[in-house]
Amino acid sequence: MIALQATRLDRYVLRQLLGALLASTGGLAALIWLTQSLRFVAMVVDRGLSLRVFLQLTGLLIPSFVAVILPITTFVVIQFIYQRLAGDRELTVMRAAGLSSSAIARPALACAGISVVLSYVLNLWIVPTSYHDFREYEFEIRNKMAAFLLQEGVFTRVSDTMTVYIRTRDHDGTLHGIMVEDDRTKNSRATILAEHGTLVAGDGPPRVVLFNGSREEIDRTTGRLNVLTFARNTIDLAGNNKDETRYRDSTEMSLGELLDPDPHVVAARDRGKFAVEAHRRLTAPLTAFSFAMVALVAVLMGAFSRHGGMIRPMVAILVVVGLLAIGLVVQNIAARDPVLIPLIWMVAILPGIMGAAMLFGPEWRFRHETDRRDGVARLSSARVGSA
């Protein structure tokens, strides 16, 4: 009967936990996406891109936001749901029904386990893939896409050093009334005018073929205006040459590439940073379990107090904030000295082990002592019976 009752209670509490986890994680991720995506508004507006391109670009960052906040929202959800159960005396009823601390904590541990699995999937697979797609898409926008989205009568910044204006654009792609402000050469600003032109796509940067135009440039030494007329001229719209080569970030590399980086790509002095990133991906999901144990210890340990119910939750919040801060400090130190990488694992795992020992240790010791006494009693009875 108790086992059946515990199963129903597990489902009841777990439904609340998972619903709250989904709502809080989704809401917080949307809020972070809204604030972080504002820095891309200028790039999208300056280059005349559409809302669809903006949503596609910034949407690729959402998995990385979820991976960061999931352990934190797991702690918040467990703390909130169990604190509400305690305030409604539901935990008191569960204890009166004969449920132990481990039985009451079982739904929270299941929720934490789901968070750990999801975090591993995000950190090891989804986030590197989505962030790589984000960097590729951003690179394409900065160097290629904007050139093909030129709007009529609008000064479009196709790069940080080039602005293009076109008067009209035909359905076949022919451009009329072209003006290009070219600042790619240091201390030499050139203005290019052309009657018409055509965009050319290829494997390299986008180019435009200009017809019947002129190139006007002021000589910085003499101050004279130099004008060069042409019947046909080709210029690329990619900006500086340094933007044409994109180097991969550690966030978009796979776990194997981080643990064994290519010496031709990663300098020897940066290998520690890549190793720290690899171990961060392996340990970050485990913090969901540790944070869950901090919440359970705050709610389930000690006697219920009507007037002191906010002290333990506040202490639990401070502990989680402290663990997050310590984790960042340890990662920065380990990046400079890879010998300290085991500290990353300790910060992620040790709080969960300590919380489990504090919450379940007395119960496990009591069961062990009870089993030992029952064994001794059965052995004594067997000896008396044989005598």
Side-chain angles (χ1 to χ4, degrees), residues 275-295:
V276 168
E277 172 63 20
H279 288 275
R280 185 201 64 80
R281 293 187 192 178
L282 293 172
T283 57
L286 299 177
T287 58
F289 170 76
S290 294
F291 293 170
M293 289 308 308
V294 172

Side-chain angles (χ1 to χ4, degrees), residues 46-47 147 150 154-166 178-184 189-193 208 235-239:
D46 291 342
R47 286 166 170 77
L150 299 175
V154 176
F155 289 89
T156 304
R157 291 186 61 193
V158 297
S159 70
D160 296 335
T161 56
M162 184 174 293
T163 302
V164 179
Y165 172 88
I166 59 172
I178 304 171
M179 184 182 72
V180 179
E181 190 74 17
D182 187 357
D183 299 336
R184 290 176 294 179
R189 174 176 295 180
T191 300
I192 303 172
L193 304 174
V208 60
I235 62 173
D236 67 82
L237 303 179

Side-chain angles (χ1 to χ4, degrees), residues 43 80 110 182 214 256 260 266 281 284-285 302 313 328 374-375:
M43 181 184 72
F80 173 77
D182 187 357
S214 64
D260 187 18
V266 180
R281 293 187 192 178
L328 293 176
D374 292 342

Side-chain angles (χ1 to χ4, degrees), residues 77-287:
V77 164
I78 293 176
Q79 181 78 38
F80 173 77
I81 295 298
Y82 274 76
Q83 200 67 36
R84 186 179 61 80
L85 293 176
D88 294 341
R89 304 298 194 275
E90 294 183 66
L91 291 185
T92 304
V93 174
M94 294 180 189
R95 293 188 184 278
L99 297 181
S100 61
S101 296
S102 59
I104 297 175
R106 196 158 48 221
L109 296 178
C111 180
I114 294 173
S115 297
V116 169
V117 173
L118 290 178
S119 295
Y120 270 118
V121 173
L122 287 168
N123 281 278
L124 299 182
W125 176 48
I126 297 180
V127 171
T129 302
S130 64
Y131 191 73
H132 173 74
D133 294 340
F134 164 77
R135 293 288 304 277
E136 289 285 346
Y137 202 12
E138 182 186 26
F139 180 80
E140 183 180 358
I141 290 174
R142 292 185 182 278
N143 294 274
K144 296 183 179 181
M145 182 180 295
F148 293 94
L149 297 176
L150 299 175
Q151 300 180 12
E152 298 179 354
V154 176
F155 289 89
T156 304
R157 291 186 61 193
V158 297
S159 70
D160 296 335
T161 56
M162 184 174 293
T163 302
V164 179
Y165 172 88
I166 59 172
R167 186 177 65 250
T168 59
R169 183 172 188 166
D170 296 340
H171 295 292
D172 60 359
T174 303
L175 311 177
H176 298 276
I178 304 171
M179 184 182 72
V180 179
E181 190 74 17
D182 187 357
D183 299 336
R184 290 176 294 179
T185 303
K186 188 177 182 180
N187 298 326
S188 179
R189 174 176 295 180
T191 300
I192 303 172
L193 304 174
E195 292 182 2
H196 62 278
T198 305
L199 285 170
V200 179
D203 296 334
R207 296 174 297 162
V208 60
V209 180
L210 304 176
F211 300 94
N212 302 329
S214 64
R215 178 185 177 92
E216 301 176 1
E217 183 177 347
I218 297 179
D219 191 329
R220 299 292 182 180
T221 304
T222 62
R224 298 179 57 182
L225 175 65
N226 298 325
V227 179
L228 175 66
T229 61
F230 57 84
R232 176 189 172 99
N233 188 22
T234 303
I235 62 173
D236 67 82
L237 303 179
N240 295 331
N241 292 332
K242 64 179 181 180
D243 293 331
E244 297 178 8
T245 302
R246 190 184 76 82
Y247 297 97
R248 296 176 64 198
D249 188 78
S250 60
T251 309
E252 55 186 314
M253 292 185 176
S254 64
L255 187 63
E257 291 175 312
L258 293 174
L259 294 175
D260 187 18
D262 186 352
H264 300 289
V265 177
V266 180
R269 65 177 182 274
D270 296 330
R271 293 179 68 91
K273 298 179 182 179
F274 283 76
V276 168
E277 172 63 20
H279 288 275
R280 185 201 64 80
R281 293 187 192 178
L282 293 172
T283 57
L286 299 177
T287 58

